[in-house]
């Protein structure tokens, strides 16, 4: 488990890694991830293979941490980051090959873990700030589907084609929210044929469970 707190300076912007001790029935701190961010860590996500931890921050940067030795595997700074404002959300693809970030600057960026850089240098520009994001659980290498929630409550589906290096147009999901979308989460398993379930929540105090076609 990872935790972080509100921070206005680098010394407070560290991330704590915890593990549960079944013998003492308590949580033990195993590591402190330092020198990554300078302001509040907004969201974190472990890669599905548990090898990396992705963190995004109010300081407009992201970090990928190697969980084998708790070191920084990859980090952006204010000069190299594609995002120019707060990064609000992030997620991993199920094969841990890609990760995605969205932020207040209305950009959605798809990143390659192995290359340590964006898959496409031209980010997807959204009509509103992106506040939540999730990869669909199954996809083909030539068509990567991503669901994005925005600060106006709208939820959209978009595809990225690595072979062409292009984003598709945005497809609106009918059941959005009245206010900012805070989290999106797909059901890992099982899928129902060519459909899966997507849970959404927002600042309008609504929780939805949507059936999405793959």
């Amino acid at each position: 488990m990872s935790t972080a707190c509100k921070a206005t300076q680098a010394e407070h912007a560290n991330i704590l890694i915890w593990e549960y001790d079944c013998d003492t029935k308590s949580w033990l701190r195993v590591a402190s991830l330092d020198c990554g961010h300078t302001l509040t860590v907004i969201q974190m996500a472990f890669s599905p293979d548990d090898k990396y931890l992705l963190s995004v921050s109010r300081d407009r940067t992201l970090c990928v941490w190697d969980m084998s030795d708790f070191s920084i595997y990859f980090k952006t700074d204010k000069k190299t980051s594609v995002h120019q404002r707060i990064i609000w959300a992030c997620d991993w693809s199920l094969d841990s090959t890609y990760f995605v970030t969205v932020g207040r600057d209305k950009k959605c960026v798809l990143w390659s873990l192995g290359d340590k850089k964006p898959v496409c240098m031209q980010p997807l520009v959204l009509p509103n700030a992106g506040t939540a994001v999730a990869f669909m659980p199954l996809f083909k290498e030539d068509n990567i589907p991503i669901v994005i929630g925005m600060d106006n409550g709208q939820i959209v589906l978009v595809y990225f084609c690595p072979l062409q290096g292009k984003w598709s147009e945005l497809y609106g999901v009918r059941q959005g929210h009245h206010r900012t979308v805070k989290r999106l989460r797909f059901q890992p398993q099982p899928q129902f044929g060519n459909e899966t379930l997507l849970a959404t929540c927002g600042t309008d105090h609504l929780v939805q469970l949507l059936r999405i076609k793959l």
Side-chain angles (χ1 to χ4, degrees):
M1 182 178 72
S2 61
T3 61
C5 67
K6 185 176 181 179
T8 57
Q9 48 191 336
E11 63 180 310
H12 298 145
N14 60 326
I15 298 170
L16 301 182
I17 304 297
W18 306 80
E19 67 178 16
Y20 186 72
D21 190 318
C22 296
D23 295 328
T24 62
K25 295 183 179 180
S26 61
W27 289 92
L28 302 176
R29 192 177 78 176
V30 297
S32 178
L33 309 184
D34 305 315
C35 303
H37 298 289
T38 58
L39 295 173
T40 304
V41 174
I42 300 295
Q43 195 171 107
M44 296 174 283
F46 285 99
S47 61
D49 60 11
D50 293 326
K51 293 182 179 179
Y52 301 95
L53 173 67
L54 170 62
S55 60
V56 296
S57 171
R58 188 174 290 274
D59 65 9
R60 311 174 187 178
T61 69
L62 67 86
C63 288
V64 178
W65 306 85
D66 189 331
M67 289 293 96
S68 65
D69 57 5
F70 305 112
S71 63
I72 295 178
Y73 173 76
F74 166 56
K75 180 183 185 300
T76 62
D77 56 37
K78 292 183 179 179
K79 293 182 178 180
T80 61
S81 178
V82 180
H83 289 284
Q84 298 173 326
R85 302 192 69 182
I86 296 171
I87 305 175
W88 283 125
C90 60
D91 193 33
W92 289 91
S93 62
L94 279 184
D95 60 3
S96 301
T97 300
Y98 303 106
F99 59 91
V100 63
T101 55
V102 294
R104 183 179 284 176
D105 58 4
K106 303 180 182 181
K107 293 179 181 178
C108 174
V109 185
L110 182 65
W111 304 79
S112 168
L113 177 66
D115 295 336
K116 301 181 181 181
K117 65 180 183 180
V119 175
C120 176
M121 293 309 297
Q122 292 297 324
L124 173 66
V125 179
L126 302 166
N128 293 87
T131 53
V133 66
F135 280 95
M136 290 187 72
L138 297 175
F139 62 84
K140 298 179 181 180
E141 284 297 323
D142 60 348
N143 205 19
I144 302 174
I146 298 170
V147 175
I148 304 166
M150 294 181 284
D151 63 354
N152 67 341
Q154 187 179 7
I155 299 173
V156 295
L157 169 65
V158 66
Y159 294 87
F160 181 78
C161 178
L163 298 178
Q164 298 180 358
K166 293 182 179 180
W167 295 92
S168 72
E169 62 180 289
L170 298 175
Y171 299 93
V173 176
R174 182 176 300 175
Q175 295 89 346
H177 287 269
H178 303 299
R179 298 178 65 183
T180 302
V181 181
K182 296 299 291 183
R183 294 299 293 266
L184 300 169
R185 275 293 175 267
F186 279 99
Q187 181 185 25
Q189 292 290 341
Q191 285 81 38
F192 302 94
N194 65 340
E195 295 182 335
T196 188
L197 298 178
L198 172 67
T200 77
C201 66
T203 57
D204 54 6
H205 309 295
L206 295 178
V207 176
Q208 300 182 126
L209 192 59
L210 308 177
R211 195 178 294 275
I212 303 294
K213 290 186 178 181
L214 298 172

